[in-house]
Amino acid sequence: MITAIDPITQPEAMPDWRQSLRDAVTDPRELLALVGLPQLAEKLPASDAGFALKVPRGFIARMHQGDPNDPLLLQVLPQLAELDEVPGFRDDAVGDLDAVAGHGVLHKYEGRALLIAAGSCAVNCRYCFRRHFPYAEELAAAHAWRAAIDCLADDTSIREVILSGGDPLVLSTQKLTDLTEALRDLPHVIRLRIHSRLPVVLPERIDEAFCAWLSALPLQRVVVLHANHPGELDASVGAACVRLREAGATLLNQSVLLRGVNDDADALVELSERLFALGVLPYYLHQLDQVRGTAHFEVSDTRARELLGTLRARLPGYLVPRLVREVPGETGKRPL
Ligand SMILES: *Cc1c(COP(=O)(O)O)cnc(C)c1O
Ligand code: SF4
């Protein structure tokens, strides 16, 4: 249980986030040694299937020693099962590769445009569609902001710009500033939303300079975190949430329903409770996108609905996330 969150955590006492990002563990053997499971090295796949292990040390510190089923470990450790070919699990499950071609803007839903602002992340989640998004990196780097901004400027129906990726918070605060300076010229855009896993996996990213940028924006601000299990939310995450809220952001969370990680009513109830204790409302619980190499994480729709029913029975309505699936071509996430 998180009982108290120290709101006066001094930003200057935090490690520099760029250093933490560079220090992330990328060798599966080192990760296994750090969590006291060196014997599992024998079970590692011979190749990482083109998607390297990457996990910040602060996130590893929240894993349990000697537990091969630790829900945080399972999200980042390459598994042999990733190499299985399972019918229906494709490279581009949500049909984004075509939509994004060119300028890095995805405009699929009314009033909201999603900007692929960065190609990389602070952590590589094994269940992610990004494992087969090879050119996202180049794309994010190559498209000038100008082309993306022009595309947003031309469509006055866009009220909200969503920074996504990859993870937009791997960009420097200066880059973010350049981007939002350009947004100033678009009077129809009134909200900025940031989709990021960094407040959870690398909370030191929410430093003084970042908060100064966020709080000075002449836009409404929404930050959608990504935590899947209550064990991800420690006091350092709590402190980052305090800073985000002080900078005027509304905080939401999205999770992915993952077999072996959080397909358990107790874990999901505790996740919602802890999120709310940090001032974060549960937003979405996503059914897995059917991406090649992730089938071992899949939870059936029947089981997912059953879990949702349990959450409805055990939690106040505002702590029950919306259970959704992304279906190509639809005008929003489809509720289950
Ligand atoms: C998920 C998503 C959004 C945001 O949808 P909300 O339901 O508003 O959270 C916007 N654009 C794209 C392309 C998306 O995939
Ligand atoms: S942080 Fe998000 S985008 Fe990046 S690998 Fe994890 S789930 Fe995918």
Side-chain angles (χ1 to χ4, degrees):
M1 277 289 291
I2 291 180
T3 44
I5 295 137
D6 180 7
I8 51 164
T9 301
Q10 296 298 317
E12 43 276 18
M14 295 191 303
D16 181 82
W17 71 273
R18 298 168 207 82
Q19 187 61 40
S20 301
L21 196 57
R22 278 192 297 271
D23 277 352
V25 171
T26 54
D27 176 356
R29 284 177 177 73
E30 183 181 2
L31 169 62
L32 290 172
L34 285 168
V35 296
L37 292 164
Q39 70 280 11
L40 282 194
E42 289 166 28
K43 291 196 189 165
L44 288 169
S47 99
D48 58 20
F51 190 55
L53 175 132
K54 182 175 182 184
V55 52
R57 290 174 194 273
F59 193 73
I60 297 172
R62 296 172 222 161
M63 297 174 184
H64 295 118
Q65 284 290 314
D67 180 3
N69 297 317
D70 180 90
L72 279 57
L73 179 67
L74 292 179
Q75 294 179 53
V76 299
L77 185 69
Q79 306 275 344
L80 281 169
E82 290 178 21
L83 306 176
D84 297 347
E85 288 293 336
V86 178
F89 284 73
R90 302 176 306 276
D91 279 359
D92 179 19
V94 289
D96 281 350
L97 289 180
D98 295 334
V100 80
H103 41 51
V105 175
L106 270 170
H107 187 195
K108 296 203 296 192
Y109 303 163
E110 187 166 340
R112 291 147 289 171
L114 186 146
L115 189 57
I116 310 279
S120 66
C121 296
V123 62
N124 283 343
C125 309
R126 305 314 299 178
Y127 52 85
C128 183
F129 70 92
R130 212 174 56 78
R131 53 185 302 139
H132 303 295
F133 212 98
Y135 60 85
E137 198 107 20
E138 294 106 87
L139 183 73
H143 78 70
W145 291 137
R146 211 55 257 176
I149 297 293
D150 287 350
C151 172
L152 300 172
D154 286 345
D155 187 340
T156 55
S157 74
I158 296 170
R159 301 173 69 77
E160 175 168 324
V161 171
I162 304 172
L163 303 187
S164 185
D167 198 311
L169 295 196
V170 301
L171 299 175
S172 68
T173 302
Q174 185 55 53
K175 266 253 170 65
L176 294 170
T177 307
D178 294 347
L179 176 62
T180 50
E181 280 301 311
L183 285 179
R184 270 177 195 270
D185 301 332
L186 314 182
H188 53 282
V189 174
I190 57 169
R191 275 193 304 278
L192 182 74
R193 188 195 319 183
I194 299 173
H195 282 181
S196 177
R197 195 141 156 70
L198 267 80
V200 172
V201 302
L202 204 90
E204 55 266 47
R205 173 66 186 93
I206 312 304
D207 61 8
E208 231 166 5
F210 176 80
C211 293
W213 164 75
L214 192 65
S215 55
L217 290 177
L219 298 162
Q220 289 192 290
R221 292 137 261 168
V222 181
V223 178
V224 183
L225 315 182
H226 175 175
N228 300 313
H229 189 276
E232 295 172 44
L233 305 174
D234 71 357
S236 67
V237 179
C241 290
V242 169
R243 294 192 292 273
L244 286 168
R245 283 192 289 135
E246 281 172 354
T250 297
L251 301 184
L252 305 172
N253 181 68
Q254 52 184 345
S255 309
V256 181
L257 186 57
L258 300 165
R259 197 203 310 167
V261 172
N262 61 3
D263 58 336
D264 169 84
D266 289 341
L268 291 172
V269 166
E270 183 64 10
L271 176 62
S272 281
E273 291 281 2
R274 282 207 204 183
L275 285 168
F276 192 67
L278 305 183
V280 184
L281 281 172
Y283 180 37
Y284 280 140
L285 177 61
H286 295 273
Q287 265 296 44
L288 190 75
D289 295 330
Q290 293 195 319
V291 170
R292 185 156 56 87
T294 66
H296 56 294
F297 284 118
E298 193 177 47
V299 176
S300 71
D301 283 357
T302 307
R303 175 72 183 135
R305 287 196 188 91
E306 192 179 285
L307 283 164
L308 189 71
T310 310
L311 296 191
R312 286 213 182 98
R314 289 176 57 185
L315 287 167
Y318 59 89
L319 292 188
V320 179
R322 300 155 180 81
L323 177 65
V324 293
R325 174 190 301 289
E326 186 160 354
V327 181
E330 296 212 345
T331 55
K333 313 280 185 250
R334 180 194 286 179
L336 251 76

